[in-house]
Amino acid sequence: MTALAFNAFVMNTVSHIQHGLWRHPDAQQADFEDVNVWIELARTLEAGLFDAIFFADVVGVYGPVGGDYTVNAREGLQIPSNDPSVLLSALAVNTEHLGLAFTSSVLQAHPFEFARRASTLDHISKGRVAWNIVTSTMENAARNFGLDRLTAHDERYVWAEEYLEVAFKLWEGSWEDDALRKDRSRGVFSDASRIHRINHVGKRYRVEGPHLPSPSPQRTPLLFQAGSSPAGRASAARNAEAQFISTPNPQTAKELITETRDLAERAGRRRDDIKFFQGFAFVIGSTEAEAKRKEAELDSYLSVDGFLAHSNLGVSQDDGRPLPPETLLKDIETNGGRTPIEWLRKRDPNREPTVGDLGQLVSKRHPRLVGTPEQIADALALWQQAGIDGVNLINWIIPGSYQEFNAHLLPELQRRGLAKREYAPGTLRRKLFGRDRLDERHPGARWRGAFARSFAAE
């Protein structure tokens, strides 16, 4: 049996996924601004042989245009939040093997600046950086960066393609492998003839170059994506090396993975060029009854308002304030989120569900695996048979959720061959794929040597 890869799914904020849990007396996420919380978490993850700490991020608040964000602020729902890329520097120098994945939208940074920042982090971490490519889904985020409104969904992926092209040109093509000399005797630090401008001119960007950092251990950071729409899956099939998915059951995961691998093949890649990480929350008990008691205790902290605000299901008032939890779903008119609303109404024909019921449903949108270590390992084996390569482990409590994984679940997974017993050496990409650089089939690889040929022609 092949070992699964494991990421810790976190965010540099108070309340990321499990809204309300920051109130738990053991939850340190309420002190997320203390760098030592993250350093100690990173060390815990490395002790548990996690492949990466995976930081989500947003650059706006959830809700309608100009909407009320009272709930967001009250719940700590991704406000306040801090920049994860800055935090990675501290984690890099306090770990040796742990991958460092961060989210950055094409909306929030110019590709020249972003490529430089990513290369710097890859140097600091000795090749352990990954980038989660996102296009942003928030109207407020668009306004924070000077747009009148959020760019149309599929057009955002067109935008991302050019953004990636600029970044790949800088990472893969601007510097030749032997451009950095550090030759003290000759007084030559870098060879200018092997450092090239990229002279990119496109619809959105004009970038002359050259890339300012010398080649980092991976050059291009490991590439994650999470899009589940047709345009998002097509983009992942072309560009991603790892995709974060959140499917409700193994069969649905199998269908999504198969479809994306088919798309990757049609894009000239191999089916195994992409690894798939399924999101899970675990509740571990020494017995099934104990796990159920722990689940009920965790659920007692959940915030219905927080989940509804995060889900953007269209069940708020016009100004963004939440509807009262006793509001009947049949009385709500909305153009969004109809599927979960109608599904919930059909669950029990003898009663009309409420907004509060919907909030509880949304709180379980990421699959939970609740039970003994043996039961959870059994479930993960079934998910692996469906095609997943790894797990994005969603926490209830930082650091407790990951400490429990290390102490109770990891030994059982290792016993079955579902988790590794030691780290492989080298970069994050080498640990996951056996190489430091993008493979030759990846679209980013086509820029290797492209500008050297241009220079020679001149």
Side-chain angles (χ1 to χ4, degrees):
M1 185 172 289
T2 303
L4 292 165
F6 287 87
N7 295 335
F9 192 37
V10 299
M11 188 171 174
N12 197 3
T13 192
V14 180
S15 191
H16 173 208
I17 297 292
Q18 308 291 21
H19 301 300
L21 263 296
W22 66 270
R23 299 179 294 119
H24 193 285
D26 297 331
Q28 292 184 17
Q29 55 260 46
D31 299 318
F32 79 96
E33 292 164 324
D34 182 351
V35 69
N36 292 304
V37 168
W38 296 106
I39 290 172
E40 290 307 311
L41 175 61
R43 289 171 174 165
T44 295
L45 297 174
E46 197 155 80
L49 302 176
F50 276 76
D51 292 87
I53 183 169
F54 184 114
F55 280 92
D57 195 31
V58 294
V59 287
V61 295
Y62 291 91
V65 175
D68 182 280
Y69 45 83
T70 300
V71 170
N72 311 58
R74 186 185 73 222
E75 300 293 334
L77 197 173
Q78 302 180 11
I79 180 174
S81 67
N82 292 343
D83 184 339
S85 70
V86 178
L87 178 59
L88 292 193
S89 293
L91 305 189
V93 298
N94 281 280
T95 54
E96 181 181 359
H97 293 287
L98 184 68
L100 306 167
F102 72 108
T103 298
S104 183
S105 170
V106 301
L107 179 70
Q108 74 186 80
H110 190 283
F112 181 84
E113 184 280 328
F114 174 77
R116 185 187 189 209
R117 181 155 36 101
S119 292
T120 303
L121 288 168
D122 204 51
H123 275 300
I124 292 171
S125 66
K126 296 181 171 60
R128 292 183 283 134
V129 167
W131 171 30
N132 179 35
I133 308 160
V134 298
T135 62
S136 292
T137 60
M138 296 176 176
E139 289 288 350
N140 178 240
R143 283 160 173 73
N144 286 340
F145 291 92
L147 300 180
D148 292 332
R149 62 166 300 144
L150 191 66
T151 303
H153 180 275
D154 288 5
E155 178 61 26
R156 297 202 299 273
Y157 284 99
V158 175
W159 179 353
E161 287 296 319
E162 184 182 354
Y163 194 99
L164 283 163
E165 181 178 322
V166 174
F168 292 148
K169 286 176 176 177
L170 293 166
W171 287 324
E172 297 291 331
S174 186
W175 285 63
E176 295 182 47
D177 288 338
D178 60 351
L180 187 68
R181 295 300 178 86
K182 295 187 178 181
D183 187 335
R184 286 183 167 87
S185 63
R186 294 175 56 231
V188 177
F189 196 83
S190 302
D191 184 344
S193 71
R194 289 169 169 77
I195 305 170
H196 309 292
R197 295 185 175 93
I198 66 169
N199 292 316
H200 175 88
V201 179
K203 179 180 178 181
R204 290 184 178 271
Y205 301 109
R206 296 173 61 92
V207 180
E208 183 178 79
H211 193 40
L212 295 181
S214 61
S216 69
Q218 296 183 121
R219 282 191 177 248
T220 296
L222 189 80
L223 300 170
F224 272 91
Q225 282 186 254
S228 59
S229 68
R233 289 197 301 273
S235 179
R238 288 190 300 271
N239 299 302
E241 296 172 278
Q243 186 172 13
F244 173 35
I245 63 175
S246 182
T247 53
N249 53 61
Q251 181 58 38
T252 305
K254 182 177 181 179
E255 293 168 359
L256 186 151
I257 292 168
T258 299
E259 178 183 345
T260 307
R261 293 195 194 281
D262 289 344
L263 290 170
E265 276 194 322
R266 290 200 285 273
R269 305 178 70 194
R270 294 178 184 167
R271 301 184 74 80
D272 61 357
D273 283 345
I274 308 175
K275 294 186 181 294
F276 291 85
F277 287 75
Q278 167 71 33
F280 289 110
F282 294 160
V283 183
I284 309 166
S286 58
T287 65
E288 184 175 357
E290 180 189 359
K292 293 292 186 183
R293 287 195 298 272
K294 289 174 67 175
E295 181 185 30
E297 192 260 340
L298 291 168
D299 278 344
S300 71
Y301 286 93
L302 292 178
S303 164
V304 169
D305 282 354
F307 279 101
L308 289 174
H310 189 183
S311 65
N312 278 331
L313 283 175
V315 293
S316 61
Q317 300 180 59
D318 291 341
D319 62 1
R321 289 182 295 118
L323 289 163
E326 65 273 12
T327 305
L328 298 178
L329 294 188
K330 70 180 181 66
D331 295 332
I332 298 173
E333 295 183 6
T334 177
N335 290 323
R338 292 306 315 177
T339 298
I341 290 174
E342 293 306 319
W343 181 81
L344 184 58
R345 292 191 67 194
K346 293 175 182 177
R347 286 184 69 189
D348 185 354
N350 297 317
R351 66 180 289 271
E352 280 291 345
T354 66
V355 165
D357 295 324
L358 181 60
Q360 291 295 332
L361 174 65
V362 173
S363 75
K364 299 177 182 178
R365 65 192 178 106
H366 295 285
R368 297 180 182 182
L369 298 183
V370 181
T372 65
E374 294 79 11
Q375 289 172 322
I376 293 174
D378 287 343
L380 287 176
L382 292 175
W383 281 85
Q384 186 185 53
Q385 291 171 18
I388 72 166
D389 303 286
V391 169
N392 255 10
L393 182 50
I394 299 162
N395 65 82
W396 301 90
I397 295 168
I398 290 177
S401 296
Y402 301 111
Q403 291 170 335
E404 284 194 348
F405 173 91
N406 291 1
H408 303 298
L409 183 54
L410 180 61
E412 178 63 20
L413 296 175
Q414 289 174 326
R415 187 183 69 79
R416 299 187 187 204
L418 283 168
K420 61 182 171 294
R421 293 184 177 273
E422 62 181 0
Y423 280 113
T427 67
L428 178 58
R429 186 176 282 112
R430 180 164 292 278
K431 286 175 168 64
L432 291 177
F433 288 98
R435 58 178 178 270
D436 295 325
R437 303 278 301 278
L438 289 172
D439 68 73
E440 69 278 2
R441 298 171 298 280
H442 193 280
R446 71 188 180 99
W447 298 109
R448 294 172 187 161
F451 305 107
R453 291 192 297 272
S454 173
F455 183 89
E458 295 173 4

